[in-house]
Amino acid sequence: MIDIAKLTELAIAYDAGDARRVQHFLKVHAFCRLIAQREGLDAHTQNTLEAAAVLHDIGIHEAERKHGSSAGPWQEAEGPAVAAPLLAQVGADPAASERILWLIAHHHTYAASEDTDFRILLEADFLVNAYEDGLAREACQTADERLFRTRTGRALLQALYLAPPYQP
Ligand SMILES: [Fe+2]
Protein backbone atom coordinates (compact mmCIF):
# COMPACT_ATOMS: atom_id res chain seq x y z
CA MET A 1 0.00 0.00 0.00
CA ILE A 2 1.16 3.50 -0.76
CA ASP A 3 1.87 5.74 2.24
CA ILE A 4 -0.51 8.58 1.38
CA ALA A 5 0.88 10.92 4.06
CA LYS A 6 4.39 10.53 2.68
CA LEU A 7 3.18 11.02 -0.90
CA THR A 8 1.28 14.13 0.21
CA GLU A 9 4.45 15.59 1.74
CA LEU A 10 6.36 14.92 -1.50
CA ALA A 11 3.63 16.60 -3.55
CA ILE A 12 3.59 19.60 -1.19
CA ALA A 13 7.40 19.88 -1.53
CA TYR A 14 7.07 19.71 -5.34
CA ASP A 15 4.40 22.47 -5.31
CA ALA A 16 6.26 24.59 -2.70
CA GLY A 17 5.43 28.28 -3.07
CA ASP A 18 2.06 27.53 -4.67
CA ALA A 19 -0.36 27.31 -1.74
CA ARG A 20 -3.38 27.40 -4.02
CA ARG A 21 -2.38 24.16 -5.76
CA VAL A 22 -1.62 22.47 -2.45
CA GLN A 23 -4.99 23.47 -1.00
CA HIS A 24 -6.67 22.25 -4.18
CA PHE A 25 -5.27 18.73 -4.15
CA LEU A 26 -5.74 18.35 -0.39
CA LYS A 27 -9.44 19.07 -0.85
CA VAL A 28 -9.77 16.77 -3.87
CA HIS A 29 -8.07 14.03 -1.85
CA ALA A 30 -10.48 14.52 1.08
CA PHE A 31 -13.54 14.27 -1.17
CA CYS A 32 -12.10 11.23 -2.96
CA ARG A 33 -11.46 9.45 0.32
CA LEU A 34 -14.95 10.20 1.62
CA ILE A 35 -16.71 9.13 -1.57
CA ALA A 36 -14.57 5.99 -1.92
CA GLN A 37 -15.29 4.95 1.68
CA ARG A 38 -19.02 5.45 1.29
CA GLU A 39 -19.14 3.72 -2.11
CA GLY A 40 -17.42 0.66 -0.63
CA LEU A 41 -14.25 0.55 -2.73
CA ASP A 42 -11.84 -2.18 -1.69
CA ALA A 43 -8.80 -0.99 0.27
CA HIS A 44 -6.35 -1.38 -2.61
CA THR A 45 -8.49 0.55 -5.11
CA GLN A 46 -9.14 3.23 -2.51
CA ASN A 47 -5.39 3.54 -1.87
CA THR A 48 -4.51 3.98 -5.56
CA LEU A 49 -7.37 6.45 -5.97
CA GLU A 50 -6.13 8.49 -2.99
CA ALA A 51 -2.64 8.59 -4.49
CA ALA A 52 -4.09 9.70 -7.84
CA ALA A 53 -6.08 12.43 -6.07
CA VAL A 54 -2.92 13.78 -4.42
CA LEU A 55 -1.06 13.78 -7.75
CA HIS A 56 -3.86 14.49 -10.24
CA ASP A 57 -2.76 18.08 -10.99
CA ILE A 58 0.99 17.54 -10.52
CA GLY A 59 1.58 18.30 -14.23
CA ILE A 60 0.35 21.90 -13.98
CA HIS A 61 3.72 23.51 -13.27
CA GLU A 62 5.39 21.67 -16.17
CA ALA A 63 2.42 22.51 -18.41
CA GLU A 64 2.80 26.18 -17.55
CA ARG A 65 6.58 26.07 -17.99
CA LYS A 66 6.60 24.24 -21.31
CA HIS A 67 3.34 25.32 -22.90
CA GLY A 68 2.46 28.55 -21.06
CA SER A 69 -0.89 27.00 -20.16
CA SER A 70 -2.41 24.83 -17.47
CA ALA A 71 -5.16 23.66 -19.86
CA GLY A 72 -6.40 20.12 -19.30
CA PRO A 73 -4.66 18.41 -22.23
CA TRP A 74 -1.24 19.85 -21.24
CA GLN A 75 -1.72 18.78 -17.61
CA GLU A 76 -2.68 15.31 -18.74
CA ALA A 77 0.39 15.16 -21.00
CA GLU A 78 2.90 16.44 -18.45
CA GLY A 79 1.52 14.94 -15.23
CA PRO A 80 2.62 11.29 -15.52
CA ALA A 81 6.35 12.09 -16.00
CA VAL A 82 6.30 14.27 -12.87
CA ALA A 83 4.28 11.77 -10.85
CA ALA A 84 6.30 8.64 -11.71
CA PRO A 85 9.44 9.48 -9.67
CA LEU A 86 7.29 10.55 -6.69
CA LEU A 87 5.49 7.20 -6.82
CA ALA A 88 8.85 5.43 -7.02
CA GLN A 89 9.97 7.29 -3.89
CA VAL A 90 7.02 5.88 -1.91
CA GLY A 91 7.61 2.38 -3.29
CA ALA A 92 4.40 2.10 -5.31
CA ASP A 93 4.19 -1.25 -7.11
CA PRO A 94 4.10 -1.26 -10.94
CA ALA A 95 0.38 -2.08 -11.27
CA ALA A 96 -0.65 0.66 -8.83
CA SER A 97 1.68 3.17 -10.51
CA GLU A 98 0.28 2.31 -13.93
CA ARG A 99 -3.29 2.90 -12.74
CA ILE A 100 -2.40 6.17 -11.00
CA LEU A 101 -0.58 7.50 -14.07
CA TRP A 102 -3.56 6.57 -16.25
CA LEU A 103 -5.94 8.41 -13.89
CA ILE A 104 -3.69 11.49 -13.98
CA ALA A 105 -3.47 11.34 -17.78
CA HIS A 106 -7.26 11.27 -18.22
CA HIS A 107 -8.73 13.38 -15.41
CA HIS A 108 -9.95 16.05 -17.83
CA THR A 109 -11.30 13.52 -20.33
CA TYR A 110 -14.73 12.93 -18.86
CA ALA A 111 -15.75 10.21 -21.34
CA ALA A 112 -12.56 8.17 -20.94
CA SER A 113 -14.03 5.50 -18.67
CA GLU A 114 -16.92 4.41 -16.47
CA ASP A 115 -14.66 2.78 -13.86
CA THR A 116 -15.76 3.80 -10.37
CA ASP A 117 -12.34 5.03 -9.20
CA PHE A 118 -12.09 7.28 -12.27
CA ARG A 119 -15.63 8.63 -11.80
CA ILE A 120 -14.91 9.40 -8.15
CA LEU A 121 -11.79 11.40 -9.07
CA LEU A 122 -13.82 13.41 -11.62
CA GLU A 123 -16.56 14.05 -9.05
CA ALA A 124 -14.15 15.11 -6.31
CA ASP A 125 -12.28 17.45 -8.67
CA PHE A 126 -15.58 18.97 -9.80
CA LEU A 127 -16.75 19.47 -6.19
CA VAL A 128 -13.60 21.49 -5.47
CA ASN A 129 -13.42 23.35 -8.79
CA ALA A 130 -17.06 24.40 -8.55
CA TYR A 131 -16.22 26.31 -5.35
CA GLU A 132 -12.79 27.61 -6.43
CA ASP A 133 -14.11 28.79 -9.81
CA GLY A 134 -17.44 30.09 -8.46
CA LEU A 135 -19.41 27.90 -10.85
CA ALA A 136 -23.03 28.83 -11.56
CA ARG A 137 -25.84 26.69 -10.16
CA GLU A 138 -26.87 25.69 -13.69
CA ALA A 139 -23.40 24.25 -14.35
CA CYS A 140 -23.71 22.15 -11.19
CA GLN A 141 -27.16 21.01 -12.29
CA THR A 142 -25.72 19.94 -15.64
CA ALA A 143 -22.87 18.12 -13.89
CA ASP A 144 -25.43 16.27 -11.75
CA GLU A 145 -27.12 15.04 -14.92
CA ARG A 146 -24.05 14.30 -17.04
CA LEU A 147 -20.86 13.98 -15.02
CA PHE A 148 -21.73 12.47 -11.64
CA ARG A 149 -22.27 8.74 -11.21
CA THR A 150 -21.99 7.86 -7.51
CA ARG A 151 -24.72 8.29 -4.92
CA THR A 152 -22.26 9.84 -2.47
CA GLY A 153 -20.83 12.28 -5.01
CA ARG A 154 -24.34 13.36 -6.02
CA ALA A 155 -25.34 13.88 -2.37
CA LEU A 156 -22.27 16.09 -1.86
CA LEU A 157 -23.02 18.08 -5.02
CA GLN A 158 -26.58 18.54 -3.80
CA ALA A 159 -25.58 19.63 -0.29
CA LEU A 160 -22.84 22.02 -1.38
CA TYR A 161 -24.24 23.66 -4.51
CA LEU A 162 -27.85 22.71 -5.22
CA ALA A 163 -29.44 23.10 -1.79
CA PRO A 164 -31.05 26.48 -1.01
CA PRO A 165 -28.11 28.86 -0.31
CA TYR A 166 -27.32 29.35 3.37
CA GLN A 167 -28.30 32.73 4.70
CA PRO A 168 -27.37 33.78 8.21
FE1 LIG B 1 -7.91 19.34 -9.95
Side-chain angles (χ1 to χ4, degrees), residues 15 20 23 37 40 44 65 71-72 74 82 87 93 97 99 107 116 123 128 133 136 138 149 152 159 167-168:
D15 276 342
R20 185 170 150 245
Q23 306 250 344
Q37 281 171 344
H44 181 75
R65 245 191 301 274
W74 295 129
V82 180
L87 289 167
D93 67 65
S97 286
R99 183 59 179 166
H107 80 276
T116 303
E123 292 177 357
V128 176
D133 301 342
E138 296 73 50
R149 301 285 187 274
T152 310
Q167 278 168 345

Side-chain angles (χ1 to χ4, degrees), residues 17 42 56 79 84 92 105 108 120 126 132 144 147 157:
D42 67 85
H56 78 282
H108 283 279
I120 291 173
F126 186 93
E132 292 180 348
D144 186 39
L147 174 65
L157 185 69

Side-chain angles (χ1 to χ4, degrees), residues 24 28 56-57 107 125 129:
H24 174 82
V28 172
H56 78 282
D57 276 344
H107 80 276
D125 202 19
N129 284 329

